[in-house]
Amino acid sequence: MLVVSGVDLMGQRSGATRRAHHTDEFEYDELIVRRGPPFATRLQLQQPYDPELHRVCLELLVGPTPQVSKATHILVPVGAPLPGLGWAAEVRDSSSNSLSLRVSTAPTAVIGKYRFSVKTRSRAGEYQMPFDPRNEIYILFNPWCRVLRCFGIATRTVTNYNSAHDTDVSLTMDVYFDENMKPLERLNADSVWNFHVWNDCWMTRPDLPSGYEGKQGGIFCCGPCSVEAIKRGQVYLKYDAPFIFAEVNSDKVYWQRQADGTYKIVYVEEKAIGHLISTKAVGSHQRHDITDLYKHPEGSEAERQAVETAARHGTKAHIYKNKEWGEDVSLSVETSEAIMGQDVSIQVALSNRGSSSHSVALSLHLAPMFYTGVTGSTFKQESRQVQIPPGGAQSVRMVVSYAEYQPHLVDQAALMLSGWGKVAQTGQVLAKQHSFRLRTPDLTLTVLGPAVVGKETQVQVVFKNPLPQTLTGAVFHMEGSGMSSPKATTIGCGGQGDPGASRLQEPTAPDADGCCLPHGGVGDVQPQGHNHRTPRDLRLVGEAQETFRELVLGLLRDRQRRETYVEEQGPVVNPGVRVYVPTPMPGGTRSLDASRDIVWESEEEESCCPRRKASYQRTRHNTLIPTFSDHLDPQQVPWLLPSRDPAPSRGGSSPAPRHSCVSLRRVPHKASYW
């Protein structure tokens, strides 16, 4: 049988695959690729490969329960592409002991960490290579890099807190209980995430009636959806309006199973979903609240009308036809600041708006909660009998100690309180779910010296232990793009409570990669100072952006114009020619790596037209286009571009310009798309 003795995924950070997939900035040496483009791998064999006798199949699995039907268990026969799936593997080279493959991933492949293995089959039998933890592949998506903004379309990121996830298009968040008001988790598929993020963009909508242009929302594969349609509850307007409406303005509906097995609405919570819808403020880093763009004020007649309009187009259109739930007694929950390691105090307030006294049988259940709103098993519960005078209120306090909640905490240290009650005199059922997070201690980071590119500096990290017990084996994870590779440091924390603080000092060396080519090079050159961005400056930038946008669109549409433009632009330098280039580095000769420093006019090996990477980039369609910086005059807008003038000497006079002798050499490999 054909035995595979080893696999080389060629995932080194400095390797050709990582550079071609633009993942070489990730400071890991595992194989990290983007879905769609191919990557190379090499199989080590114990005998020569014969395509007539041997069958080789690559196996990739992602997730805890991989399934072929869900495209999380992938089988890729070598030499036979999978119809409709986009996965393929072809032989590039075969020697006595190895088999080099070119593997293509599907553009729609699941994003995540894949486990990679190999199966073989021959007349002698089948072989399954054991899984090696080192054979893992990270498959990422191809980011759009704010492409809407690049084309001049106003776009912003929006965050919605208490964001609902409606799974049955009912336009409500449904919570089911049994006869004793115990949650029926098998039916509770809807959930409330602590937050969710999407993008708003400004565009016309000729496919919708007049009045629905402007802001359009979109999340993962959703949208564009008119924000005005969401505000009005007009979920029949495309695209994906029902899901987005449910995220920001659905009601939370509590259902109780009756004795005959049917379910009855016992309470509707109207203000549980869609809080503090936010984006970044213009001109500052402050939060800007835009809740009013997505919905009318909570409880207003317009907001209630929007909710009922939306529900009429859902799968439970009858919900608001006959409102049978009463409102004499109301229930609310408040939690004082909950700090990890301390007791948690929960206040449950009952208010009676009726004209007679009421007796309420109250039950409280506390359970851990994941960030998706899914809860674990209840670990604390209490039952109380509460008497409420007419027009009065009563409070019930529930105290949870650290010893009670600590063993049950999950990822973000969140807890969910489910409270329900029944009014003896009227039969009214009360229900409420309240989630909260325990505050974890802050990490204090202090730079202990000046941070200089290329030089080591010390960073102090301080952690204060808030728990009533000593921590041992604490692990600090540190990383910083361009400063420090991911690393983990295990230390022993100090004591407990107030005296228990741990201090860690770690060296870090900020770096700046890229060559010091003129006009946009990276190095010790600092941008010119400019304290005031005048209206004239902003106008010049706006004009340059528009000029750049028109140029790029024109070049992409017209091949002849594109070729003419590239021919007219310079400088073009043949390989091996020594040229002098102004640079802030000390004089000296060094070679430029084509894969890092320059971009080539053509991807062909015999191409002889290198261009400055700072001034040109290659699109995914193999088109060479200029960068935005070439459309600004650095004399007019100096605060946007690096200075090309050397700093004056201490004596006040300007030194002679420094130059470095640079030798261009062509590295024999295909250039990447920039």
Side-chain angles (χ1 to χ4, degrees):
M1 66 179 66
L2 184 65
V3 176
V4 180
S5 57
V7 173
D8 182 4
L9 294 176
M10 304 184 207
Q12 295 79 9
R13 182 182 175 187
S14 58
T17 297
R18 294 282 298 273
R19 293 199 307 270
H21 285 253
H22 303 287
T23 59
D24 51 315
E25 292 298 322
F26 292 101
E27 296 175 330
Y28 297 87
D29 276 329
E30 287 82 3
L31 179 58
I32 306 174
V33 297
R34 301 191 186 280
R35 61 184 181 184
F39 64 90
T41 188
R42 183 180 296 111
L43 307 182
Q44 299 297 327
L45 309 174
Q46 291 188 359
Q47 68 184 81
Y49 168 73
D50 187 338
E52 299 297 327
L53 301 176
H54 301 133
R55 296 291 180 265
V56 178
C57 182
L58 308 183
E59 184 176 31
L60 298 100
L61 304 98
V62 62
T65 56
Q67 299 180 37
V68 174
S69 61
K70 295 184 177 180
T72 53
H73 183 183
I74 309 296
L75 297 171
V76 187
V78 173
L82 298 178
L85 294 182
W87 291 84
E90 57 179 312
V91 177
R92 299 302 300 272
D93 184 39
S94 176
S95 64
S96 59
N97 291 76
S98 68
L99 183 65
S100 296
L101 304 176
R102 182 177 185 265
V103 183
S104 298
T105 60
T108 57
V110 174
I111 302 303
K113 181 171 67 173
Y114 285 74
R115 303 181 294 280
F116 181 86
S117 184
V118 183
K119 294 181 177 181
T120 68
R121 176 184 295 176
S122 64
R123 294 176 181 176
E126 296 184 356
Y127 173 79
Q128 169 75 62
M129 188 187 79
F131 171 69
D132 187 335
R134 294 172 297 180
N135 294 337
E136 293 182 330
I137 303 175
Y138 294 84
I139 297 183
L140 311 179
F141 64 95
N142 293 300
W144 278 74
C145 301
R146 294 180 180 268
V147 68
L148 294 176
R149 286 188 171 183
C150 292
F151 284 103
I153 300 175
T155 307
R156 62 186 179 184
T157 298
V158 175
T159 302
N160 176 45
Y161 294 92
N162 279 33
S163 188
H165 191 99
D166 179 22
T167 59
D168 60 357
V169 202
S170 65
L171 284 305
T172 56
M173 299 310 301
D174 301 303
V175 186
Y176 293 90
F177 299 87
D178 64 10
E179 295 85 347
N180 299 316
M181 289 303 288
K182 181 180 179 181
L184 296 172
E185 297 300 342
R186 63 182 178 83
L187 298 179
N188 292 335
D190 292 348
S191 60
V192 181
W193 291 40
N194 52 11
F195 73 92
H196 210 182
V197 178
W198 59 81
N199 292 320
D200 264 0
C201 61
W202 187 274
M203 62 175 67
T204 59
R205 290 297 301 271
D207 57 329
L208 297 182
S210 176
Y212 294 93
E213 63 280 344
K215 287 293 180 186
Q216 310 290 315
I219 51 176
F220 57 93
C221 61
C222 281
C225 176
S226 168
V227 172
E228 185 62 28
I230 295 301
K231 186 173 184 176
R232 298 180 184 181
Q234 296 168 332
V235 296
Y236 46 84
L237 295 177
K238 57 188 178 184
Y239 293 93
D240 307 301
F243 185 89
I244 301 176
F245 177 88
E247 281 217 305
V248 300
N249 202 20
S250 56
D251 285 346
K252 199 167 188 178
V253 180
Y254 296 81
W255 300 78
Q256 184 183 30
R257 187 171 62 195
Q258 306 300 299
D260 60 359
T262 61
Y263 288 88
K264 176 183 177 182
I265 297 176
V266 294
Y267 184 66
V268 174
E269 191 176 357
E270 297 179 352
K271 302 178 182 180
I273 305 300
H275 297 167
L276 300 173
I277 305 177
S278 310
T279 190
K280 177 184 174 296
V282 177
S284 75
H285 294 290
Q286 300 299 312
R287 183 186 72 87
H288 176 50
D289 194 293
I290 56 171
T291 306
D292 62 315
L293 297 181
Y294 279 84
K295 57 183 178 180
H296 297 283
E298 289 281 11
S300 66
E301 182 179 350
E303 188 265 344
R304 287 289 87 202
Q305 182 178 353
V307 171
E308 295 185 17
T309 298
R312 284 197 295 270
H313 294 86
T315 56
K316 297 184 176 74
H318 65 284
I319 284 182
Y320 295 97
K321 288 184 178 179
N322 299 307
K323 300 181 181 180
E324 300 179 0
W325 50 91
E327 289 280 338
D328 278 356
V329 179
S330 61
L331 183 154
S332 62
V333 180
E334 291 185 1
T335 308
S336 57
E337 185 177 23
I339 300 176
M340 179 71 74
Q342 299 181 11
D343 292 350
V344 176
S345 178
I346 304 173
Q347 292 289 130
V348 180
L350 295 165
S351 299
N352 181 8
R353 291 189 290 268
S355 57
S356 59
S357 178
H358 287 309
S359 175
V360 178
L362 182 67
S363 181
L364 305 175
H365 300 257
L366 193 63
M369 186 187 77
F370 295 88
Y371 75 93
T372 56
V374 177
T375 59
S377 301
T378 298
F379 64 86
K380 184 179 177 67
Q381 62 184 47
E382 292 183 1
S383 298
R384 307 281 183 88
Q385 287 291 332
V386 185
Q387 297 292 329
I388 316 173
Q394 287 288 348
S395 292
V396 174
R397 182 168 177 256
M398 181 182 190
V399 178
V400 189
S401 68
Y402 170 73
E404 289 177 304
Y405 66 72
Q406 185 274 330
H408 307 281
L409 295 179
V410 293
D411 48 29
Q412 296 184 359
L415 299 174
M416 168 77 81
L417 176 74
S418 298
W420 72 274
K422 188 170 185 179
V423 181
Q425 289 77 12
T426 64
Q428 177 189 348
V429 176
L430 308 173
K432 177 74 173 180
Q433 287 187 321
H434 176 78
S435 62
F436 60 94
R437 286 184 60 189
L438 295 161
R439 177 174 171 78
T440 53
D442 297 325
L443 288 176
T444 304
L445 280 73
T446 307
V447 180
L448 301 180
V452 180
V453 172
K455 295 184 178 181
E456 188 175 281
T457 188
Q458 292 285 328
V459 177
Q460 177 179 270
V461 184
V462 178
F463 169 79
K464 189 174 182 179
N465 178 16
L467 304 181
Q469 65 186 85
T470 300
L471 297 179
T472 59
V475 179
F476 284 82
H477 293 271
M478 298 182 63
E479 65 178 285
S481 179
M483 297 180 63
S484 174
S485 298
K487 61 191 302 185
T489 304
T490 302
I491 64 172
C493 275
Q496 60 190 35
D498 229 23
S502 179
R503 287 175 172 80
L504 173 67
Q505 291 187 14
E506 282 289 327
T508 181
D511 64 7
D513 54 10
C515 64
C516 294
L517 290 173
H519 194 67
V522 181
D524 291 332
V525 178
Q526 298 297 324
Q528 292 258 358
H530 199 300
N531 294 329
H532 303 285
R533 276 64 163 168
T534 65
R536 175 177 174 274
D537 291 335
L538 300 177
R539 176 176 57 80
L540 289 171
V541 173
E543 292 174 355
Q545 287 177 324
E546 185 60 27
T547 301
F548 171 68
R549 176 176 175 271
E550 292 177 356
L551 175 64
V552 170
L553 291 176
L555 294 179
L556 292 176
R557 286 193 296 262
D558 190 336
R559 179 177 180 180
Q560 183 176 357
R561 179 184 172 191
R562 180 169 68 247
E563 293 175 350
T564 302
Y565 182 90
V566 171
E567 290 175 359
E568 293 174 350
Q569 300 301 307
V572 176
V573 185
N574 290 331
V577 175
R578 297 168 69 82
V579 295
Y580 285 94
V581 182
T583 165
M585 298 175 62
T589 302
R590 71 177 178 89
S591 295
L592 298 183
D593 188 333
S595 66
R596 182 189 65 187
D597 301 330
I598 60 178
V599 61
W600 300 85
E601 179 181 348
S602 171
E603 285 198 290
E604 299 302 323
E605 297 296 337
E606 62 272 13
S607 171
C608 58
C609 299
R611 298 183 183 275
R612 298 172 304 180
K613 183 176 175 183
S615 298
Y616 293 91
Q617 61 181 344
R618 190 178 301 284
T619 70
R620 60 191 291 266
H621 302 290
N622 197 22
T623 302
L624 201 64
I625 62 173
T627 58
F628 168 69
S629 60
D630 278 343
H631 293 270
L632 280 175
D633 183 349
Q635 301 301 322
Q636 291 182 319
V637 194
W639 47 273
L640 280 182
L641 300 177
S643 170
R644 288 187 254 180
D645 299 323
S649 65
R650 292 183 180 272
S653 60
S654 298
R658 294 178 297 172
H659 298 81
S660 287
C661 185
V662 180
S663 173
L664 292 175
R665 62 180 175 86
R666 182 66 193 262
V667 178
H669 80 98
K670 290 283 186 180
S672 303
Y673 287 170
W674 299 106

